[in-house]
């Protein structure tokens, strides 16, 4: 397997970074790729574009998440809204796709240990995927990790080490530790796995075209498009953003996309180094002093793949933007109340961002736009206020008559 | 649409129960059914066997959950273990399949309200599916509902009414309330939706056979079978059990199964009316005084479809059995640590039950057995004890050397 730098094109046999300082990703020849005939579900149907085969356990079942229309959010979003529900991965987030490739590559290399630097979704994902495949797992967490998190990660029985010191430095230094293969958020293996989200989105659109052998029942919904007009995702380290961009580039190389969807990235205003760089026209992302945000999963003040994320939105004609915590929480409630989807706040940045982009005229009412809902809201305490009505059994029909107009007839 | 009684064969146009007292289900002519060519994912690919089409929102994305091998549990289970991960439905449980059909049917009938009697997975599922489709939703909960539950249900903004009185009676009486279509756990629409789990399991096996046009990459894993040897699920009301049985019957009628898998149902020993009836050779289930169990989702002391569940296991050559809370918790831990899967305790009864059946010789080491993991463990507080090690950044490499044998080289 060869690695390559997206920016300067230099190749390398190993390592996380190019000589030019930018992150490397896997070199793939996608020229001959076509949508697979296989009936296999999940991310492993794209084996031809992946650097490994499925590992045993949940890693074999990563991806294959649904893409669905949420028409009751169209007005709020200002477009035809689709949701790619990444919460339906094995541990509830898109991270499982990257963990699956990371663990599979470790198995193939004969490694016994994988590791990650994370206190959230990526830690759970890596630990679960390793457990399913029989690898030991080392999770390095910061010393200010919220109290309840280690117990969630511990379900899968990894070795957890709380490390005192700078978290950003820990990310880089972990690669120097011997005996453990670190699958951090923007490493080539993780990026390779996570690009499959973009492949699935575009294949679902392609499936709806009349030219496809067996069309989907909901073909009219995509209105003849072979891909969405835009894809909108939250961004933190830039690893996931890089992956989506890579997936789109490979499909373009394979001649499977007439037009590459515009790619938009959203951050929380309290911690938005990538959006700031975009707004200022800078080519490189400068670290910020990040503040607190409800979207805790994406509060990365010094994103290791920030420049690559910036390149992704520029080259696809998209943008990076930031939204307030109030807008995020409002979007989160609407996802639940008008699509039936419970997401973590980071995922809700997408809907808040789409609304903003529509207001600015960058997304048009007839655009088909995919919001990538990166993680489930199930692990969160519900902030919905519940004050149930009370009734005795014998009073129930009267109560229902008062609630349901026309039910007394 | 016609309803029919599984036991006496009487038909009815509407209602939940046959004159003979047993629950009705939807009459389906499956004779001409064949595995669909469509590339559509999810439960709606079986539209030919369903009484409605997909509703807008998450209901359109129900089902399509992965089936995967968990080889690191084979020894514990005593067979070749497969997991059908129903936690990967939109609200984290198999209930979403039935809610989707219930809501779709309400939409087609022009109803404005759907309802359910539940304090757990079914309440969340019905409320979310209704929200995605724009229907109002009424959730009736018992007055002893655990304190945190209403807030989880309230995310999707249904009308929640806490009803004082007997919970079993409430289930029956809800059908008499005018103006609200109740989709309770063993109603025909819910059963129709939930049968798709069995269809998906068997289609995944069928896909692996050489005769299928495009075989799956993991075809060797099923060892030439067109269906698993056995399917094992938890049982509570008997609605889900009825649905699985119905799915298998329809596939048999369509001549898509050489042999019908043996169907096993598992209960928690503290509340096991169906397992008791099975053990005693009774034809009917007698209500029990149910005790407390960790498997709170399946503690139904007076199951409305208990007799139908009993018929399901007897006619397929399976069994109903019960397992202790200790066995359930042990199985739950092993699901996480050896497959990478976090499940709620009710789901873990399957693995505990399979182990028991293997010990008794009812499941053989070369049997391919599917455990239906009915609901996610993400909403639960983790009971894993986490006592992370501590390290300063500069001591990390030394710590890793002590943890990882051979890493010092």
């Amino acid at each position: 397997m060869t690695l390559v730098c997206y920016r300067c094109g230099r190749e390398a046999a190993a390592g996380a970074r190019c000589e030019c300082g930018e992150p490397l990703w896997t070199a793939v020849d996608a020229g001959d790729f076509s949508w697979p005939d296989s009936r296999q579900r999940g991310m492993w149907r794209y084996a031809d574009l992946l650097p490994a085969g499925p590992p045993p356990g949940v890693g074999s079942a990563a991806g294959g998440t649904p893409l669905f229309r949420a028409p009751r959010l169209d007005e709020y979003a200002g477009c035809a809204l689709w949701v790619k529900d990444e919460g339906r991965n094995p541990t509830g987030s898109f991270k499982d796709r990257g963990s699956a490739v990371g663990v599979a590559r470790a198995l193939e290399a004969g490694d016994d240990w994988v590791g990650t630097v994370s206190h959230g979704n990526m830690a759970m994902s890596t630990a679960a995927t390793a457990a399913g495949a029989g690898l030991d797992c080392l999770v390095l967490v910061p010393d200010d990790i919220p109290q309840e998190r280690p117990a969630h990660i511990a379900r899968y029985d990894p070795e957890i080490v709380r490390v005192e010191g700078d978290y950003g430095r820990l990310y880089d230094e972990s690669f120097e530790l011997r005996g453990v293969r670190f699958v951090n958020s923007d490493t080539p293996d993780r990026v390779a796995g996570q690009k499959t989200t973009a492949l699935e989105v575009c294949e679902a659109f392609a499936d709806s075209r009349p030219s496809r052998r067996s069309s989907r029942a909901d073909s009219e919904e995509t209105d003849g498009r072979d891909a969405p007009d835009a894809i909108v995702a939250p961004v933190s380290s830039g690893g996931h953003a890089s992956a989506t961009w890579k997936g789109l580039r490979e499909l373009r190389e394979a001649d499977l996309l007439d037009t590459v969807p515009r790619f938009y990235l959203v951050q929380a205003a309290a911690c938005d180094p990538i959006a700031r760089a975009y707004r200022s026209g800078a080519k490189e992302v400068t670290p910020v002093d990040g503040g607190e945000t409800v979207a805790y999963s994406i509060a990365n003040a010094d994103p290791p793949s920030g420049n690559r994320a910036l390149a992704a939105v520029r080259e696809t004609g998209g943008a990076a933007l930031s939204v307030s915590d109030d807008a995020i929480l409002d979007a989160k409630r609407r996802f639940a109340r008008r699509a039936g989807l419970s997401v973590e706040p980071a995922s809700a940045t997408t809907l808040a961002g789409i609304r903003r982009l529509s207001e600015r005229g960058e997304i048009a009412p007839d655009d088909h736009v995919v919001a990538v809902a990166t993680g489930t809201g199930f692990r969160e305490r519900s902030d919905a206020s519940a004050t149930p009505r009370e009734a005795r059994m014998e009073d129930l029909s009267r109560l229902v008559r008062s609630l349901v107009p026309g039910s007394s007839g």
Side-chain angles (χ1 to χ4, degrees), chain A:
Chain A
M1 205 185 75
T2 307
L3 303 175
V4 63
C5 176
Y6 77 97
R7 186 145 81 180
C8 70
R10 267 196 210 95
E11 296 194 346
R17 298 247 152 202
C18 175
E19 291 170 39
C20 79
E22 284 300 287
L24 296 162
W25 60 21
T26 310
V28 169
D29 180 2
D32 293 334
F33 178 75
S34 56
W35 294 124
D37 273 336
S38 163
R39 304 182 70 88
Q40 188 177 13
R41 307 292 208 275
M43 61 176 277
W44 298 105
R45 71 185 268 102
Y46 307 114
D48 290 350
L49 297 178
L50 293 172
V58 280
S60 68
T65 62
L67 174 74
F68 66 96
R69 279 278 287 123
R72 297 190 69 232
L73 285 170
D74 287 356
E75 194 183 327
Y76 185 81
C79 60
L81 187 74
W82 295 77
V83 181
K84 179 67 172 170
D85 184 4
E86 288 293 287
R88 288 173 68 179
N89 271 292
T91 71
S93 85
F94 72 95
K95 293 287 186 185
D96 292 326
R97 300 173 185 266
S99 302
V101 169
V103 165
R105 291 254 303 149
L107 278 179
E108 290 182 6
D111 293 335
D112 293 323
W113 283 77
V114 291
T116 200
V117 176
S118 164
H119 52 80
N121 289 329
M122 188 162 59
M124 280 179 265
S125 174
T126 307
T129 310
L135 292 182
D136 287 310
C137 180
L138 176 64
V139 176
L140 304 182
V141 301
D143 57 359
D144 62 347
I145 185 171
Q147 205 188 338
E148 71 284 4
R149 295 279 180 79
H152 278 295
I153 303 168
R155 291 183 205 262
Y156 309 104
D157 203 26
E159 198 70 57
I160 305 176
V161 179
R162 195 193 302 254
V163 185
E164 195 184 306
D166 181 71
Y167 194 55
R169 200 182 123 207
L170 181 58
Y171 186 98
D172 292 328
E173 297 225 339
S174 66
F175 296 119
E176 308 302 322
L177 295 169
R178 284 163 174 267
V180 182
R181 175 191 282 257
F182 271 81
V183 193
N184 292 347
S185 68
D186 76 336
T187 49
D189 286 343
R190 195 167 281 284
V191 167
Q194 285 163 194
K195 77 183 174 192
T196 56
T197 309
L199 305 182
E200 288 178 9
V201 165
C202 294
E203 189 178 18
F205 271 80
D207 274 352
S208 70
R209 304 198 91 181
S211 57
R212 268 297 247 191
R213 187 188 46 230
S214 44
S215 67
R216 288 175 51 138
D218 53 349
S219 59
E220 71 284 359
E221 291 211 323
T222 57
D223 211 11
R225 287 166 173 76
D226 71 348
D229 298 293
I231 298 176
V232 184
V235 62
S236 179
S237 71
H240 185 219
S242 303
T244 303
W245 186 35
K246 190 167 203 317
L248 296 174
R249 285 163 61 116
E250 291 176 11
L251 292 179
R252 182 74 177 153
E253 184 188 339
D255 210 17
L256 288 170
L257 289 181
D258 287 340
T259 339
V260 174
R262 287 155 12 233
F263 186 32
Y264 295 93
L265 292 170
V266 194
Q267 302 202 283
C271 187
D272 63 346
I274 298 171
R276 279 192 207 193
Y278 180 82
R279 279 195 299 269
S280 71
K283 206 177 155 188
E284 306 234 325
V285 174
T286 310
V288 298
D289 268 339
E292 293 277 305
T293 164
V294 292
Y296 52 87
S297 306
I298 55 166
N300 192 324
D302 183 12
S305 279
N307 300 339
R308 196 160 58 176
L310 205 53
V313 299
R314 290 229 173 90
E315 295 214 5
T316 60
L321 68 160
S322 47
V323 291
S324 71
D325 274 18
D326 281 350
I328 294 168
L329 290 173
D330 189 56
K332 179 173 178 289
R333 268 189 300 272
R334 289 183 194 252
F335 260 135
R337 294 177 172 206
R338 298 189 70 87
L341 192 72
S342 169
V343 297
E344 64 170 14
S347 301
T349 59
T350 56
L351 180 55
I354 291 166
R355 183 170 165 85
R356 190 89 191 81
L357 289 163
S358 298
E359 287 165 355
R360 297 198 321 215
E362 295 183 52
I363 281 177
D366 62 347
D367 275 349
H368 284 242
V369 178
V370 173
V372 184
T374 42
T376 182
F378 295 157
R379 273 189 290 255
E380 301 194 316
R381 199 178 272 278
S382 172
D383 56 0
S385 70
T387 47
R389 292 166 196 274
E390 311 274 345
R392 285 176 308 167
M393 188 90 69
E394 52 272 30
D395 300 330
L396 192 55
S397 63
R398 193 164 31 196
L399 174 63
V400 170
R401 275 201 301 277
S402 73
L403 288 173
V404 181
S407 62
S408 51

